[in-house]
Amino acid sequence: MKLLLRRVGYFFLFLLFWQVAVMVLGIKEFIIPSPLKTLSHIFQPTLAAKYQWPLHIQATLMEILLSFLITAISGNLVALLISWSRALKTLITPIIVFFNSLPKIALAPLFLLWFGYGLLPNTLIAVLVAFFPIVINTSTGLEQVDEDLLNLVRYLGATKGQIYVKIKIPNALPYIFSGFKISATMCVVGSIVGEFIASDKGLGYLLKDAQAFIDTPTMFACLLLISLLGILFFGALSLLEARVLYWMPQTTGGGKG
Amino acid sequence: KEASPKAPTKEAPKALEKVDFQLNWKITGDHAPYYVALEKGWYKEEGLDVNVILGQGSGYTVQVIDTKKADIGISDAPVPITNRAKGAKVKIIGIIFDKHPNCMYFWKSSGITKPQDIVGKTVAVPATDGHKVMWPAFAKQIGVDPSSVKFVNIEPAAKVSALASKNADVVFELYTGKPFMEKAIPPDQLGYFVWSDYGFNAYAHSYITHDDTIKTRPEMLRKFLKATYRAWDYTLKNPAEAIDILGKYHPINKEDYLANLKVVMDFFKTDRYKNNGIGYIDPARMRETVELVARYMNVQMNFPPEDVYDASFLPSPPFKYNW
Amino acid sequence: MHGNTPLLSIRELKKVYKTREGELEALGSVTFDIYPQEFVSIVGPSGCGKTTLLKIIAGLLPKTSGEIFVDKKQFDPSREVGFVFQKPLLLPWRKVIDNVLLPIEILKLDKRNYIEKARALLELVGLSGFENNYPNELSGGMQQRVSIARALIHDPKLILMDEPFGALDALTRERMNLELLRIWSESQKTILFVTHGIQEAIFLSDRVIILSARPSRMIKALDIELPRPRTMEVRSSAEFGVYSLEVYRCLELT
Amino acid sequence: MHGNTPLLSIRELKKVYKTREGELEALGSVTFDIYPQEFVSIVGPSGCGKTTLLKIIAGLLPKTSGEIFVDKKQFDPSREVGFVFQKPLLLPWRKVIDNVLLPIEILKLDKRNYIEKARALLELVGLSGFENNYPNELSGGMQQRVSIARALIHDPKLILMDEPFGALDALTRERMNLELLRIWSESQKTILFVTHGIQEAIFLSDRVIILSARPSRMIKALDIELPRPRTMEVRSSAEFGVYSLEVYRCLELT
Amino acid sequence: MNHVLKSTDSLTPPSRLNALIRWVTRSIQKNLNSIFVVLGFFLLWEAAVWVFRIPPFILPAPSTALSHLLFPRAEANYRWSYHISSTVLAISLSFVATSTVGILIAIALAWSKRLKEIILPAFVFINSLPIIAIAPIILLWMGYGVFTNMVIAFLVGFFPVVINTITGLEAVDEDLLDLVRYLHASKLQVFLKIRIPNALPYIFSGLKICSTMSIVGAIVGEFIASDRGLGYIIINAQYSMNTPPIFSSLILISLAGALLFTLVSLLERILMPWTAFEAEP
Ligand SMILES: Nc1ncnc2c1ncn2[C@@H]1O[C@H](COP(=O)(O)OP(=O)(O)OP(=O)(O)O)[C@@H](O)[C@H]1O
Ligand SMILES: Nc1ncnc2c1ncn2[C@@H]1O[C@H](COP(=O)(O)OP(=O)(O)OP(=O)(O)O)[C@@H](O)[C@H]1O
Ligand SMILES: [Mg+2]
Ligand SMILES: [Mg+2]
C-alpha cells in the first residue's frame, strides 16, 4: 500500500517535471504537449464531448476483453492438445513459432481482405498477437509436473483424464496466470494494431485521426488511456490470481507491475 | 543520415551544398524525377548534394520542415496552409501536380453513378491521408453533408484490399493509384470520380520550405527547383527510362510503377503548364485554394493568401511541357 | 512371528533399464517374502535399485523378469498397495482432508463413505484439527504424516514407503519413527520400508533386507529380535549396537 | 584434552529478532568456550537458534547482547572463520578449483599463492582429479566436500559447520562423518558443528552442547570420552548407547 | 585413502565438448521434425492456392514467392542481397544493442532499489504502449535512419531482457550471499562473482524472447524509418499490391527469427558449459 502511494507520488512528480520542462524549454505542442494540455483533452467537458471518449474507450475495451477471452480459451486449449499428444505437438509447435515471428502489421492488407473490419477482426488480430505466451506458459506448466506427483496417482491406476484434471491442470495454474498477465498487455497492443489496420472507432482509431491533424495532445491522451487500460487489466488479473491461487505461499507483497 | 546507394556524393568534390529533401510518402512513380536528377548529375551540376528522405504523409513533411529537420519537402498544399495558420513557418515554392489527384473508387455494381451517391456509404481511407483532411471541402463543393458518410480508418497499405473485399463501399485514393486498384478489381467493374472533375480546384502536391530558408538560402532553392523541374521535363518525355532509373534505387515493380507514372502524367497536361512551364504557381488558383481551406476546413486565416507561397524560385526560363 | 502364508512373494525379480548409453542392470536378482503385519526394511547403497523395487511392486514400472505373487496368484497392486514417497507430494491446492481423500477419487469410490475414515486417519497420525488447512501451512513432518494417512485411506494391505523421512531433520525423524511404529501397530498393516538409515531400519523393523550395490543382490536378511515396543532405551542398548555393526559390516562401512 | 586458553569464548550471548509480530527471542543466553583443535557439536530442536548462533559468530548477524572474544579481545571473524553451510552452495558456473579459491578472491589475496594449496585441500577431501569439473558433475557428498575445502582455503582457525551433511542420504552421511574426522585430524582445525543427528554429534565430538527449545539455553555440555580414532565399532559400542540415551533424555525424546 | 569414494561417488570426468556436440545433434534431430512440418505447411498452402485458384494479390503461392526470391525478375530489381544484408545488419545491431543496454539497465536497477522503484513502473508503462503508435512521434524527434530504426526495435524488445535480468540478479539464494558476506565481500564483488553469473540463465531466456521481438522491431522500424531492408520491400510492395515479394520477405524474416533463436541457444550452451550435464530426459 505504501509502495503504491509512493509510486503514485513518483508518477505525479514525473508529470510535474514534464509540465515544467514543456513550459521552460518552450517545446512546441505538436512535438510534445504538456500533461495539463493532454489531460484537458480528456476531462475538459467541451473537448471531451468532441472526442467521444466513452465510445472509443468502450470499443477498445470490448476488443481487449473479447480478445483476451478468446486467447485465454484457445491458447489453453492448444496448450492442452500439445501436452496431450506428442504428434500434435510436433505438428502445431513449429507453425505457432513460425507465425509468432511474423510482424503482424505486415499482413495488414491481408487481414482486411480476409476478415474485414470491426470488433471481430480486431479481436482476431489481438488474439494472434497475444496467443503465443499463453500457449508457451500453459504447456510449460503442464509439463513441469513432479514425476513423483504423477506416480502418486498412477499406482492407483489413474486415467489420463484424471491425471490432467486432478494434477496437471491445477499444477499449471501459476504458469497459466503468468501467461495471462503477459498476454493481457499484448491484447491491448494487438487491439490497437487491429484498429490501425482498419476501424471506425476505438482509441487506435482516434489516435490515427489525431495524428492526421497533428493533434498531439489528443494523441498523448489516447496513449495515456491505452496504457492505463493495460495497467488496469494487468492489475485486475493479478488480483484474480491472488484469489484463485489462494494456496500459493504469499510471497509477493505488491506485485511487479 | 541516409544516402542512396548510388548517390553522387561518393566522388563529391569540394563544396557541394547539402540539401535534405523530404518526400511525402514511400516511393511512388512520381518520385522518379528526383532519381533522374541524381542519376544524371543535375543536382551536382547545380552544386547541390541532395539527400532524398522517404516520407510519412504531408502532415509529417510539414512538421519536419517546420522543425528544420529537412530543407525542402513535398506536401499537399492545404496542409502547409492549415499549419501556417497554426503558426508553422512553411511556404510553398513550387507546384508539382497541376490538377488535384484526389479520387474516389467504388465497384460499379454498387450503384454509385455520381459523387453525391456517396451519402450514407462506408468510406475507407487512412486517417492521415490528405483525402480525409480535404473531404469536408469537397463534400461541401458537391453539396453533401461531410458527416453523411461513415469513415473507416485503415492502414494506407490496405486501400486496395478494403475495396476488393467490399469491406468498404468507397475508397479514397489518388487517381494515380488506379493501376493498383485494377490489379484486384477488373477495370470494367471499377468506378471512379476524380475530384477535380467536379470542381475541386485546390492545389495539391507542392514543394515547401521554411521561411528562414527562403531568407538565408534563396540561391539553393532556385538551383534545386531548376534541376528538379528539368528532371520532371525529362521524365515526362522519357517515362520508361525514368522508371528504369528509379528501379535502380528502389525495389519496385517497374511495370506497375510505369503505369503509375503514366497516370501521373495526366496532371501535367494542362494549358497552364503548357503556357507557363511546369511548377507554375497561379496566384488566382492559390487564392482559391486558401479560401477553400479557410471556408470548408474551419481554419482561421490570419494572413493574406500571398503569404503562403513564394514563386520567385521557379526556374526561368521555365520548362514548358508540350505533350 | 510370521503367519504361514506370505502376503507377498518376490522371486528372482530383475530389472534392466534401457538407456541411451546401453543397458543398465538396476536389480540383479532379488528374492524374499513379506508376511502379514510384518515391518520389513530395505537398506542398500544409493542407486542400488531400492526405489525401482518398490515401483515394480506398486506397478509403476514393468519388471524385466521374475515373479511377484500372492497366494500363488499374480499380484494386482492397484487397491492392495499404499505408497508413501520420499517427498510428501501433497497437492498444494487441496486442503489436508482432500489430499487424504485423493486415492478415493482416483479409484472412483464413493467419497462420502470415506470422509469419516479420513478424519480418523488424521487423528491416527496426530493431525486432528488440521483437516481444513492447506499443505503449505504445515511443517515438513506434518506433511509427511498427511501423506501416510493418504496411503492408508483405501485400506491397502501393504504400505510401501520409500525413504519417507529422508527429507526431515534428524530429531523430527526420530519422532516420526516413534509415530510410525505407533501407527503401524494400531493399523495392523504390513510395511515395506526403504531407507538409508541403518539405525532407523533396525529400530523399526522385524527384518532388515540388505542389498548390494548395482546390480543389486540380497546380501542378507537380518531378523531383528529386539523387544517391542521399541523405545529409546532399546535403541541405546548394546544389542542394538551389535545389529548395527552387523549391518555396517555387510555394507563394508567399517 | 583442552589447551589452557580458549580459542573462542562466548558469554551470555543473546539474540532477539525484531519481527512484524513483535520480538522473537532466538538465543536465550548461551555461554561456552571452544579450545584449540577441539571438535564441538551443538544439538537442539529445530528453530532453537543454532544457525543464529553460528551466524553471529561469523559476523553475519549482529548480536543483541553478550560477548564473543579471543584472548580477552573482541573477535574479528573475517579471516578467522571458515563457514560450511547446510547446502554445498557451490557456484555452478565455476569449476571445482575456482570454487575452492572463491574466498581468496573475495579477500583479495594473491590467487597464485593459493592454487597449490587448493589442490592439496582437494586431495585432503579426496577429490584430486576433479579440479576442473563443474559442481553439477559431482554427487551431493562430493559437493559438500568441495565446500569443506573452500572453508579451509584461507586457513581460518575455526570452522563453523551448519548441518553440513543434512542434505545427504544416511549412508553417504556416515561416510562423510568418517571423512570429516580424518580431515579434522589432518588439518588440525577447531570445529564447531551444528547438527540434528544425535548419533552424529556423539560420534564426531569431544563435546556436545545441547540447547533447549526457544528461547534457547544450554541444557548440558556433554564431554564425550570415547576413544579416538572413532570407528564403527566405537559407534556400536555400549558406551555410545549410554551417551545417546543421555542426549535423548536431555531432549526429552524418551 | 579414497576408499570411500568408490561405490557411490565415482564419476569419470566426461568430455564437455562431447556434450556440446551431442546437444547440437539432438537439437538438429528435434528441429528436423519442425522443418518437415513447416515444409508440409508450405505444400498445403501451395496446393490450396492452386486448387482454389486464389489470385496472387490475396495470397500468392509459396512457389511464386520463392521464384521472386531466387530468379532475377525483368520487371523489378529487388536486390535481395542488399536488402537482406541491411535487414540482417539492422536485426543484429538492434539485438546486440537491445541486449547490452537492457542488461546494463537491469544491473543498474538491481543495484539501486530506489532507482528501480522509480524507473521500473515507467518501463511497464512504455511496454504497454503499442510501439507503432508512438513510432511517428519518435520519427519526428529523431529523424529518419538506422539509428531511429534501432531505437524502435529497442523499445519493442528491451522489456523482457530487463525484467528477466533483474529477476535473475535478484533470484539469488540468500545463503549464497551469506557465503561471501562473512568474508566481507563488497557489493561489486557480490555482483561480479555471484549475482551476474547467477542471472545468466535468466538473461538467456530474456534474450530468446528478445530475439523474436528484435526482429519484429527491426522490421517495423524499416516500415517506418528506413529506405532499405526487407521491411522496406514489404512497404513498397504493399503500395502496388505486389504481394509475392511481400511473402518472400516474410519467409526470410521467419528464417531470420529461427536463425537468431538458434544462435542464442548455441551461445547459451557455449557460455554456460556447466549446464551441459543437467539431467537429460
Ligand atoms: N527411468 C530410468 N531409466 C534409466 N535408469 C534408471 C531409471 N530410474 C533409475 N535408473 C537407474 O537405476 C539405478 C537404480 O535406481 P533407483 O532409483 O532404484 O535406486 P535407489 O536405490 O532408489 O537409489 P537412492 O538410494 O539414491 O534412492 C540407478 O543407477 C539409476 O540411475
Ligand atoms: N531473520 C530472521 N528474522 C526473524 N526471525 C528469525 C530470523 N532468522 C531466524 N529466525 C527465527 O529464529 C529462530 C531460530 O532460528 P535458527 O535458524 O537459528 O534456528 P535453528 O536452530 O538453526 O533451526 P534449524 O534446526 O531448523 O536449522 C527461529 O524461530 C526462526 O524462525
Ligand atoms: Mg530411491
Ligand atoms: Mg539452522
Side-chain angles (χ1 to χ4, degrees):
Chain A
M1 201 59 217
K2 232 163 93 185
L3 188 78
L4 192 72
L5 274 180
R6 253 215 317 268
R7 285 227 173 115
V8 173
Y10 286 138
F11 182 66
F12 277 104
L13 214 68
F14 169 71
L15 286 187
L16 191 74
F17 175 77
W18 174 7
Q19 179 77 37
V20 170
V22 168
M23 276 160 39
V24 170
L25 301 177
I27 298 171
K28 281 190 190 166
E29 185 181 297
F30 69 78
I31 303 263
I32 309 176
S34 75
L36 279 180
K37 182 91 189 176
T38 303
L39 290 175
S40 79
H41 277 233
I42 304 179
F43 292 111
Q44 206 252 340
T46 48
L47 280 173
K50 177 180 162 206
Y51 292 113
Q52 294 182 290
W53 292 109
L55 171 83
H56 296 296
I57 293 175
Q58 196 200 9
T60 304
L61 195 61
M62 276 301 287
E63 288 161 12
I64 295 172
L65 292 180
L66 196 63
S67 64
F68 181 75
L69 207 68
I70 298 175
T71 316
I73 293 171
S74 61
N76 281 316
L77 223 57
V78 167
L80 210 58
L81 289 179
I82 286 177
S83 119
W84 189 275
S85 139
R86 262 206 109 64
L88 281 177
K89 181 176 178 162
T90 37
L91 210 62
I92 297 176
T93 323
I95 304 216
I96 295 179
V97 172
F98 178 78
F99 274 107
N100 184 49
S101 62
L102 289 183
K104 314 289 176 291
I105 192 88
L107 297 171
L110 297 177
F111 280 135
L112 188 60
L113 208 53
W114 296 336
F115 306 121
Y117 68 94
L119 180 63
L120 197 68
N122 288 358
T123 303
L124 279 178
I125 290 161
V127 168
L128 219 57
V129 171
F131 190 62
F132 199 60
I134 292 207
V135 175
I136 289 293
N137 270 49
T138 305
S139 57
T140 315
L142 288 174
E143 266 156 43
Q144 293 282 355
V145 187
D146 193 336
E147 192 60 26
D148 283 334
L149 218 50
L150 299 181
N151 281 335
L152 169 70
V153 291
R154 264 190 209 135
Y155 84 87
L156 296 163
T159 59
K160 203 169 180 179
Q162 279 183 319
I163 288 179
Y164 270 86
V165 171
K166 304 227 184 271
I167 312 277
K168 284 200 170 182
I169 293 174
N171 183 72
L173 276 177
Y175 293 84
I176 294 178
F177 266 96
S178 82
F180 280 177
K181 287 196 278 188
I182 301 171
S183 285
T185 322
M186 297 183 117
C187 276
V188 175
V189 173
S191 300
I192 300 299
V193 169
E195 285 174 359
F196 283 178
I197 289 174
S199 65
D200 55 5
K201 53 179 174 291
L203 290 173
Y205 170 87
L206 201 58
L207 181 72
K208 277 283 174 187
D209 246 17
Q211 193 186 335
F213 293 100
I214 318 178
D215 177 5
T216 27
T218 307
M219 288 174 73
F220 272 67
C222 287
L223 290 173
L224 206 68
L225 286 170
I226 290 167
S227 79
L228 207 64
L229 281 182
I231 289 168
L232 283 180
F233 196 21
F234 186 94
L237 280 172
S238 303
L239 283 182
L240 184 71
E241 180 183 27
R243 264 299 170 83
V244 173
L245 303 185
Y246 50 84
W247 39 269
M248 291 281 282
Q250 236 81 75
T251 44
T252 43
K256 280 178 292 185
Chain B
K1 291 275 160 75
E2 298 281 280
S4 293
K6 287 179 190 167
T9 46
K10 273 180 198 160
E11 69 262 34
K14 50 239 120 125
L16 286 187
E17 188 177 359
K18 284 214 67 121
V19 178
D20 285 326
F21 177 48
Q22 175 70 53
L23 298 183
N24 53 334
W25 192 238
K26 311 290 174 193
I27 293 301
T28 52
D30 54 294
H31 294 146
Y34 315 114
Y35 293 91
V36 169
L38 283 174
E39 183 77 5
K40 306 229 174 243
W42 293 340
Y43 285 130
K44 218 168 74 184
E45 256 174 47
E46 299 293 338
L48 301 181
D49 170 13
V50 173
N51 174 31
V52 182
I53 308 168
L54 300 193
Q56 288 290 321
S58 292
Y60 177 77
T61 302
V62 170
Q63 286 173 317
V64 164
I65 299 298
D66 185 52
T67 51
K68 298 189 187 169
K69 293 217 161 66
D71 304 309
I72 302 170
I74 301 179
S75 173
D76 219 357
V79 183
I81 295 172
T82 325
N83 279 282
R84 191 166 180 90
K86 289 184 187 167
K89 299 262 173 279
V90 291
K91 258 185 197 178
I92 295 168
I93 54 168
I95 303 297
I96 303 173
F97 299 160
D98 199 37
K99 267 168 85 176
H100 204 287
N102 275 8
C103 182
M104 54 196 262
Y105 295 87
F106 48 90
W107 287 84
K108 281 187 179 153
S109 56
S110 68
I112 296 176
T113 52
K114 54 184 187 301
Q116 286 77 5
D117 290 342
I118 198 174
V119 172
K121 297 278 194 267
T122 305
V123 178
V125 64
T128 45
D129 201 289
H131 283 88
K132 182 134 186 219
V133 181
M134 276 167 286
W135 160 250
F138 180 60
K140 286 183 184 163
Q141 214 155 28
I142 59 173
V144 304
D145 177 3
S147 59
S148 66
V149 303
K150 183 168 167 249
F151 277 113
V152 180
N153 277 359
I154 56 170
E155 273 292 294
K159 279 181 175 178
V160 179
S161 309
L163 191 61
S165 63
K166 301 195 177 169
N167 277 306
D169 304 317
V170 176
V171 167
F172 285 170
E173 159 67 331
L174 298 184
Y175 178 59
T176 54
K178 189 160 146 271
F180 310 137
M181 286 285 179
E182 287 173 345
K183 276 186 155 185
I185 300 155
D188 54 327
Q189 295 177 38
L190 179 70
Y192 62 91
F193 298 123
V194 184
W195 290 11
S196 58
D197 293 344
Y198 296 85
F200 190 74
N201 223 356
Y203 268 126
H205 293 49
S206 338
Y207 299 113
I208 63 170
T209 192
H210 196 279
D211 288 3
D212 292 350
T213 312
I214 289 179
K215 267 187 226 121
T216 55
R217 299 165 73 188
E219 266 320 297
M220 179 277 285
L221 295 176
R222 204 161 281 127
K223 290 171 181 168
F224 176 84
L225 289 186
K226 183 176 167 208
T228 301
Y229 283 117
R230 180 180 174 194
W232 264 116
D233 185 57
Y234 189 87
T235 301
L236 293 168
K237 287 169 184 152
N238 310 283
E241 188 195 338
I243 290 297
D244 265 347
I245 291 172
L246 185 61
K248 283 191 204 167
Y249 289 80
H250 290 281
I252 56 164
N253 182 324
K254 291 182 215 161
E255 290 166 7
D256 291 347
Y257 275 66
L258 186 56
N260 177 226
L261 180 60
K262 284 196 169 142
V263 180
V264 166
M265 286 161 64
D266 287 348
F267 301 137
F268 291 79
K269 297 174 180 171
T270 62
D271 288 334
R272 268 191 299 266
Y273 276 7
K274 193 169 161 186
N275 298 330
N276 302 310
I278 317 170
Y280 169 69
I281 306 177
D282 180 1
R285 193 169 162 213
M286 190 55 93
R287 201 173 310 120
E288 218 176 301
T289 305
V290 173
E291 272 164 20
L292 199 75
V293 170
R295 183 138 39 98
Y296 295 125
M297 288 157 70
N298 291 324
V299 180
Q300 207 59 47
M301 286 303 160
N302 39 14
F303 50 87
E306 292 70 34
D307 266 15
V308 301
Y309 70 96
D310 188 337
S312 61
F313 306 109
L314 288 170
S316 62
F319 293 92
K320 294 188 178 170
Y321 180 45
N322 220 335
W323 65 88
Chain C
M1 196 165 171
H2 317 151
N4 293 340
T5 48
L7 177 75
L8 191 71
S9 300
I10 290 164
R11 291 287 169 276
E12 295 186 7
L13 194 66
K14 280 190 194 183
K15 175 68 188 180
V16 178
Y17 284 111
K18 285 190 179 50
T19 67
R20 215 178 297 248
E21 285 81 27
E23 301 207 326
L24 187 136
E25 201 177 341
L27 279 178
S29 169
V30 177
T31 298
F32 63 93
D33 288 335
I34 305 169
Y35 293 88
Q37 294 176 38
E38 226 189 351
F39 198 121
V40 178
S41 289
I42 301 179
V43 297
S46 192
C48 75
K50 302 180 295 296
T51 300
T52 303
L53 175 61
L54 288 200
K55 283 190 176 168
I56 291 174
I57 295 176
L60 285 170
L61 280 176
K63 57 182 190 277
T64 305
S65 71
E67 299 292 339
I68 306 177
F69 56 87
V70 207
D71 284 336
K72 287 172 187 138
K73 292 193 301 286
Q74 183 69 31
F75 177 63
D76 166 33
S78 81
R79 298 201 180 189
E80 303 297 352
V81 160
F83 209 128
V84 179
F85 296 82
Q86 173 159 11
K87 289 171 282 180
L89 296 177
L90 301 183
L91 304 180
W93 53 88
R94 285 173 170 243
K95 293 178 176 171
V96 163
I97 186 126
D98 295 324
N99 265 292
V100 174
L101 287 166
L102 179 72
I104 302 305
E105 293 176 24
I106 301 290
L107 293 170
K108 298 193 179 113
L109 302 173
D110 190 346
K111 216 162 137 182
R112 281 163 303 175
N113 305 337
Y114 285 87
I115 290 178
E116 268 323 297
K117 180 149 191 221
R119 281 184 203 286
L121 282 172
L122 283 173
E123 191 170 342
L124 178 70
V125 299
L127 284 177
S128 37
F130 288 92
E131 289 86 354
N132 292 316
N133 284 70
Y134 283 97
N136 69 355
E137 297 163 22
L138 307 183
S139 73
M142 290 159 96
Q143 292 188 10
Q144 197 54 286
R145 277 187 274 176
V146 176
S147 85
I148 292 172
R150 180 178 57 193
L152 294 169
I153 185 79
H154 58 298
D155 208 18
K157 290 198 192 105
L158 178 65
I159 312 292
L160 304 174
M161 304 184 110
D162 189 5
E163 298 184 51
F165 309 136
L168 304 180
D169 68 75
L171 277 181
T172 315
R173 194 165 175 170
E174 308 269 12
R175 286 212 182 82
M176 286 300 295
N177 282 342
L178 292 172
E179 278 290 285
L180 179 61
L181 283 179
R182 189 180 55 74
I183 295 167
W184 169 63
S185 66
E186 286 180 25
S187 67
Q188 308 221 319
K189 297 286 172 196
T190 312
I191 294 182
L192 184 57
F193 188 92
V194 163
T195 180
H196 281 102
I198 292 158
Q199 268 83 15
E200 188 174 66
I202 299 169
F203 182 66
L204 294 170
S205 313
D206 298 317
R207 205 145 40 98
V208 175
I209 292 172
I210 304 161
L211 295 184
S212 70
R214 223 181 44 226
S216 51
R217 287 166 197 283
M218 213 168 83
I219 300 178
K220 181 147 199 166
L222 188 67
D223 282 312
I224 309 291
E225 279 156 6
L226 292 169
R228 289 197 187 265
R230 306 266 164 95
T231 58
M232 283 301 155
E233 275 79 14
V234 174
R235 177 144 191 186
S236 315
S237 65
E239 296 94 310
F240 194 94
V242 175
Y243 281 120
S244 2
L245 198 57
E246 174 76 21
V247 180
Y248 287 135
R249 285 232 178 81
C250 290
L251 291 169
E252 294 169 7
L253 253 175
T254 41
Chain D
M1 196 164 173
H2 317 152
N4 294 339
T5 49
L7 177 75
L8 192 69
S9 301
I10 290 164
R11 292 285 170 278
E12 295 183 7
L13 194 65
K14 278 190 196 186
K15 175 68 187 179
V16 178
Y17 283 113
K18 284 192 181 50
T19 67
R20 218 176 297 242
E21 286 81 27
E23 300 208 327
L24 187 136
E25 202 177 341
L27 278 179
S29 169
V30 177
T31 298
F32 63 91
D33 289 334
I34 306 169
Y35 293 88
Q37 294 176 38
E38 224 188 354
F39 199 122
V40 179
S41 289
I42 301 178
V43 297
S46 192
C48 74
K50 304 180 293 298
T51 300
T52 304
L53 175 62
L54 287 201
K55 283 192 175 168
I56 291 174
I57 296 176
L60 286 170
L61 280 176
K63 57 181 191 279
T64 306
S65 71
E67 298 293 339
I68 305 176
F69 55 89
V70 207
D71 284 338
K72 289 175 186 136
K73 293 194 300 286
Q74 183 69 28
F75 176 65
D76 166 34
S78 82
R79 298 200 180 190
E80 303 297 352
V81 159
F83 208 129
V84 179
F85 297 82
Q86 173 159 12
K87 290 172 281 178
L89 294 179
L90 301 182
L91 304 180
W93 53 88
R94 286 175 168 241
K95 293 179 176 173
V96 163
I97 186 124
D98 296 323
N99 264 292
V100 174
L101 287 167
L102 179 71
I104 301 306
E105 291 178 24
I106 302 290
L107 293 171
K108 297 193 178 110
L109 303 173
D110 190 347
K111 216 161 136 182
R112 281 164 301 176
N113 304 338
Y114 285 87
I115 290 178
E116 268 322 298
K117 176 144 193 228
R119 282 184 203 285
L121 281 172
L122 282 173
E123 191 171 340
L124 178 69
V125 298
L127 285 177
S128 38
F130 288 90
E131 289 86 353
N132 292 315
N133 284 73
Y134 284 102
N136 69 354
E137 296 164 31
L138 306 184
S139 73
M142 291 160 95
Q143 292 188 11
Q144 198 53 285
R145 278 186 271 175
V146 175
S147 85
I148 293 172
R150 179 179 58 193
L152 294 169
I153 185 79
H154 58 298
D155 208 20
K157 290 200 193 104
L158 178 66
I159 312 292
L160 304 174
M161 304 182 109
D162 189 5
E163 299 184 52
F165 308 136
L168 304 180
D169 69 74
L171 277 182
T172 316
R173 194 165 174 168
E174 308 269 12
R175 286 209 183 83
M176 286 301 295
N177 282 343
L178 292 171
E179 278 291 284
L180 179 60
L181 283 179
R182 189 181 55 71
I183 294 167
W184 169 64
S185 67
E186 285 181 26
S187 67
Q188 309 220 316
K189 297 287 173 197
T190 312
I191 293 183
L192 184 57
F193 188 92
V194 162
T195 179
H196 281 105
I198 293 158
Q199 269 83 16
E200 186 176 68
I202 299 169
F203 183 64
L204 294 170
S205 314
D206 297 318
R207 205 146 38 98
V208 176
I209 292 171
I210 304 161
L211 294 185
S212 71
R214 222 183 43 227
S216 53
R217 290 170 194 281
M218 214 167 82
I219 301 179
K220 182 147 201 166
L222 188 67
D223 282 312
I224 310 290
E225 278 155 8
L226 294 169
R228 289 195 186 267
R230 305 264 164 97
T231 60
M232 284 301 156
E233 276 78 14
V234 174
R235 179 145 189 184
S236 316
S237 66
E239 296 94 309
F240 193 94
V242 175
Y243 281 120
S244 4
L245 199 57
E246 173 77 22
V247 180
Y248 286 136
R249 286 233 176 80
C250 290
L251 291 170
E252 294 167 8
L253 252 176
T254 42
Chain E
M1 186 209 101
N2 278 354
H3 63 283
V4 286
L5 243 169
K6 260 185 246 152
S7 55
T8 52
D9 292 335
S10 72
L11 208 143
T12 43
S15 152
R16 234 154 270 133
L17 187 67
N18 277 345
L20 185 67
I21 292 169
R22 251 211 332 271
W23 177 78
V24 170
T25 43
R26 231 192 28 239
S27 312
I28 291 175
Q29 273 169 12
K30 230 167 45 195
N31 287 325
L32 223 54
N33 269 338
S34 315
I35 291 168
F36 280 129
V37 171
V38 171
L39 279 183
F41 173 74
F42 276 113
L43 277 178
L44 264 176
W45 169 7
E46 181 85 31
V49 169
W50 292 112
V51 170
F52 299 110
R53 297 167 192 283
I54 301 175
F57 73 89
I58 292 183
L59 186 67
S63 61
T64 319
L66 225 60
S67 78
H68 272 70
L69 198 55
L70 296 179
F71 307 110
R73 314 285 304 180
E75 81 280 0
N77 177 11
Y78 292 112
R79 292 194 295 160
W80 287 109
S81 56
Y82 168 72
H83 291 287
I84 290 172
S85 59
S86 102
T87 292
V88 166
L89 190 73
I91 291 173
S92 352
L93 277 182
S94 27
F95 179 68
V96 170
T98 307
S99 3
T100 344
V101 177
I103 291 170
L104 288 180
I105 288 177
I107 291 175
L109 296 193
W111 187 278
S112 153
K113 263 212 149 62
R114 178 56 37 117
L115 203 62
K116 182 178 140 191
E117 215 174 84
I118 300 175
I119 291 184
L120 206 56
F123 283 175
V124 173
F125 177 82
I126 293 173
N127 186 49
S128 68
L129 291 176
I131 300 301
I132 47 169
I134 42 175
I137 302 176
I138 296 170
L139 198 60
L140 192 64
W141 294 338
M142 320 212 24
Y144 224 78
V146 178
F147 186 68
T148 311
N149 188 347
M150 276 169 62
V151 168
I152 292 170
F154 175 83
L155 286 176
V156 171
F158 83 103
F159 196 68
V161 180
V162 172
I163 284 295
N164 272 46
T165 309
I166 289 184
T167 311
L169 290 171
E170 286 177 352
V172 178
D173 192 340
E174 197 58 30
D175 290 336
L176 217 51
L177 297 180
D178 274 349
L179 168 69
V180 290
R181 226 181 260 150
Y182 88 86
L183 297 164
H184 295 280
S186 63
K187 196 170 182 179
L188 185 68
Q189 280 182 321
V190 171
F191 264 81
L192 286 181
K193 301 205 186 288
I194 312 273
R195 288 191 188 270
I196 292 176
N198 183 71
L200 274 179
Y202 295 83
I203 292 177
F204 271 105
S205 80
L207 291 187
K208 282 180 193 166
I209 306 173
C210 173
S211 70
T212 320
M213 299 185 113
S214 286
I215 288 174
V216 173
I219 299 297
V220 169
E222 282 174 353
F223 285 176
I224 294 162
S226 178
D227 59 4
R228 60 188 68 167
L230 296 174
Y232 178 62
I233 289 192
I234 292 175
I235 275 289
N236 236 301
Q238 277 181 341
Y239 171 70
S240 54
M241 284 306 273
N242 188 15
T243 37
I246 296 182
F247 279 83
S248 315
S249 304
L250 289 177
I251 292 169
L252 286 174
I253 291 165
S254 295
L255 214 62
L259 213 66
L260 188 58
F261 189 89
T262 313
L263 274 177
V264 176
S265 307
L266 195 67
L267 193 70
E268 180 181 19
R269 277 282 143 167
I270 292 168
L271 283 187
M272 298 178 23
W274 61 90
T275 56
F277 297 99
E278 258 157 41
E280 295 174 5

